[in-house]
């Protein structure tokens, strides 16, 4: 039987963590399939968890005034979904929807934050990993919004596919 710890150990986002660290994280992890079309979270909502994507696709979107939701990135296998649970005020900065059936491992944010406080080495490691995700997501968002403006400076059309 494959355990939560096994699933965490297989995911590239957590590569290099020790068995002890993975065991602690696995206490807050469980399998979580996401059905195609499911709205996982909305921008501004309470952020209390994150997901390690094993297979499938999830679209991130940002709400642009006057345009509504604008896709900014599509996440697939090996990606991590959600970083807002780690940083106060614990509100989502994007929205997310499953594009197709997606298999994930879901981790509960408050429990993982508690582990990070108890184990500062793990806490620093996870903070660095999540900060890399934050920087990547914000950069991708910036590029998509520039594309949007260049393709439609009057703001009447759709964002082009990248």
């Amino acid at each position: 039987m494959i355990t939560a710890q096994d699933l965490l150990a297989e995911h590239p986002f957590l590569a290099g963590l020790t068995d002890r660290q993975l065991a602690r994280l696995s206490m807050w992890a469980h399998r979580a399939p996401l059905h195609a079309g499911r709205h996982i979270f909305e921008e501004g909502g309470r952020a209390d968890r994150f997901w390690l994507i094993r297979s499938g696709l999830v679209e991130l979107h940002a709400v642009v005034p006057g345009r509504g939701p604008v896709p900014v990135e599509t996440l697939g296998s090996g990606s991590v979904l959600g970083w807002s649970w780690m940083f106060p005020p614990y509100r989502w900065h994007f929205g997310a929807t499953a594009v197709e059936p997606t298999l994930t491992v879901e981790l509960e944010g408050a429990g993982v934050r508690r582990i990070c406080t108890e184990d500062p080495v793990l806490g620093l490691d996870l903070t660095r990993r999540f900060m890399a995700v934050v920087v990547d997501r914000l950069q991708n968002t910036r590029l998509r919004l520039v594309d949007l403006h260049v393709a439609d400076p009057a703001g009447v059309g759709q964002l082009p596919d990248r």
Side-chain angles (χ1 to χ4, degrees):
M1 180 171 119
I2 296 176
T3 66
Q5 183 173 342
D6 295 331
L7 294 174
L8 296 178
E10 292 172 358
H11 200 278
F13 183 72
L14 300 178
L17 293 186
T18 67
D19 288 340
R20 181 179 177 278
Q21 292 168 326
L22 291 168
R24 294 190 75 194
L25 288 172
S26 71
M27 295 185 305
W28 300 103
H30 66 275
R31 289 183 175 119
L34 305 172
H35 300 288
R38 176 180 169 200
H39 296 286
I40 305 163
F41 52 82
E42 291 299 326
E43 187 174 329
R46 185 172 153 256
D48 59 358
R49 65 198 67 224
F50 68 99
W51 297 261
L52 302 175
I53 300 174
R54 298 177 56 216
S55 66
L57 294 173
V58 172
E59 181 183 85
L60 290 177
H61 61 269
V63 176
V64 176
R67 293 179 189 258
V70 174
V72 294
E73 189 171 2
T74 302
L75 307 175
S77 177
S79 298
V80 61
L81 171 64
W83 51 263
S84 301
W85 65 274
M86 190 172 220
F87 306 102
Y90 311 119
R91 296 282 173 201
W92 296 118
H93 290 80
F94 298 99
T97 302
V99 175
E100 63 185 38
T102 302
L103 298 177
T104 72
V105 178
E106 181 179 301
L107 289 98
E108 194 267 310
V112 174
R113 284 194 308 269
R114 194 167 25 258
I115 291 170
C116 289
T117 299
E118 295 166 359
D119 182 346
V121 171
L122 177 58
L124 178 59
D125 189 352
L126 286 177
T127 300
R128 285 179 173 156
R129 291 169 193 245
F130 275 101
M131 283 307 300
V133 171
V134 171
V135 169
D136 183 62
R137 299 275 156 77
L138 292 177
Q139 180 67 4
N140 284 332
T141 301
R142 185 186 73 79
L143 292 173
R144 294 293 279 182
L145 293 177
V146 166
D147 286 349
L148 175 65
H149 181 70
V150 168
D152 186 16
V156 295
Q158 294 289 329
L159 183 66
D161 290 332
R162 284 197 105 197

